[in-house]
Amino acid sequence: MIGSWGLLRDAVLRLRARPALADHELDLLLSIASTASGAGASTGGAPDPSDDDPEALRLRALVELARGGDADAFGHLYDHYLPGVFRFVYYRVSSRTLAEDLTSETFTRALRSIGRYEWQGKDFGAWLTTIARNIVTDHYKSSRHRLEVVADEVPETAHVQPGPEDEVLDSITNAVLMEAVAALPDEQRDCLLMRFVQNLTIAQTAEALGRSEGAVKQLQLRAVRRLARDLPTEAVR
């Protein structure tokens, strides 16, 4: 398994080789990320709370306890969702110190407002991501900073064993691809970060962005096609 970020790189490479790749073929390739993340158990995503999955039921129970003021329950939620939220923020701000501060602010705001949180079909991880996204947006509005990618410090999205496919994927480095992702229109960029860095599902990403699942699929298709088109030729060996 090459991990969700590897799948994004693979999709871009395939599209570079076959620009006429049909949307349904590309969509199928990208949809593998939903299963490659292992339901997000260790990356900050979460199973659909409507499923009879033990982990989903545990998380829902923790949310209900936290809504009632149980600090320990919120602590468990913090431990579960922290890695995914931090990765999303880090890839937006490219500074570990700043990402730690903004991630901390995300959970502080979540704790303050969790009493008003209601499921209503909305995933808790997607709710946290929406808060994080708003905080990052506010940061750039207030500081007027331009997103800059730190080429020598791109965190891994998954611990994977190297394999034959890595030789192919290495033809696009993490830094080069991240620079291209950062240059995408805001919604396309955030869609890819949620899907392939944070490992959110299509449904969770749709909730975080306030869009339909169909719209999210189109966003990621357009984003990947733009990446394949705009990557400099010298970036692909």
Side-chain angles (χ1 to χ4, degrees):
M1 186 179 297
I2 59 179
S4 294
W5 188 249
L7 287 168
L8 175 60
R9 294 162 67 190
D10 188 39
V12 172
L13 280 171
R14 289 172 186 250
L15 198 52
R16 291 277 298 206
R18 290 180 56 199
L21 190 68
D23 276 357
H24 73 273
E25 295 178 276
L26 183 56
D27 185 58
L28 178 61
L29 182 62
L30 295 172
S31 70
I32 298 174
S34 297
T35 56
S37 64
S42 63
T43 58
D48 186 334
S50 65
D51 292 341
D52 292 329
D53 182 280
E55 180 67 358
L57 296 175
R58 183 184 78 88
L59 291 170
R60 182 162 188 166
L62 287 172
V63 171
E64 291 303 318
L65 289 171
R67 288 180 68 238
D70 190 318
D72 287 339
F74 189 84
H76 287 299
L77 292 170
Y78 174 87
D79 290 339
H80 179 86
Y81 289 102
L82 175 64
V85 173
F86 174 79
R87 273 201 304 275
F88 173 78
V89 175
Y90 179 87
Y91 271 79
R92 284 293 312 275
V93 303
S94 302
S95 163
R96 188 170 298 278
T97 301
L98 179 58
E100 289 172 351
D101 290 344
L102 298 185
T103 299
S104 177
E105 176 63 20
T106 296
F107 283 94
T108 298
R109 289 193 191 181
L111 180 60
R112 289 172 182 163
S113 57
I114 195 170
R116 300 190 298 273
Y117 172 81
E118 296 181 6
W119 284 109
Q120 296 181 338
K122 188 173 182 64
D123 176 77
F124 188 73
W127 182 65
L128 288 173
T129 302
T130 299
I131 295 174
R133 186 173 184 242
N134 290 337
I135 287 173
V136 172
T137 298
D138 290 344
H139 165 74
Y140 281 114
K141 284 181 178 178
S142 63
S143 64
R144 300 177 182 272
H145 284 308
R146 180 177 61 85
L147 177 62
E148 294 181 355
V149 177
V150 180
D152 62 350
E153 191 180 5
V154 181
E156 293 296 328
T157 60
H159 294 291
V160 296
Q161 293 297 322
E165 70 276 9
D166 292 320
E167 295 181 6
V168 177
L169 296 179
D170 282 344
S171 63
I172 297 180
T173 68
N174 276 340
V176 169
L177 184 55
M178 195 60 231
E179 287 174 0
V181 170
L184 290 170
D186 290 352
E187 205 167 36
Q188 290 183 18
R189 175 201 61 217
D190 288 351
C191 176
L192 292 191
L193 292 180
M194 290 176 195
R195 292 283 290 125
F196 301 103
V197 171
Q198 199 175 358
N199 289 337
L200 296 188
T201 64
I202 289 287
Q204 291 167 337
T205 302
E207 291 170 8
L209 290 174
R211 302 290 298 270
S212 69
E213 293 185 27
V216 167
K217 289 182 179 180
Q218 287 303 308
L219 272 174
Q220 70 177 16
L221 284 174
R222 289 197 296 271
V224 172
R225 288 194 179 280
R226 183 164 181 158
L227 287 176
R229 182 194 71 200
D230 293 349
L231 274 175
T233 302
E234 61 271 18
V236 182
R237 293 194 297 268

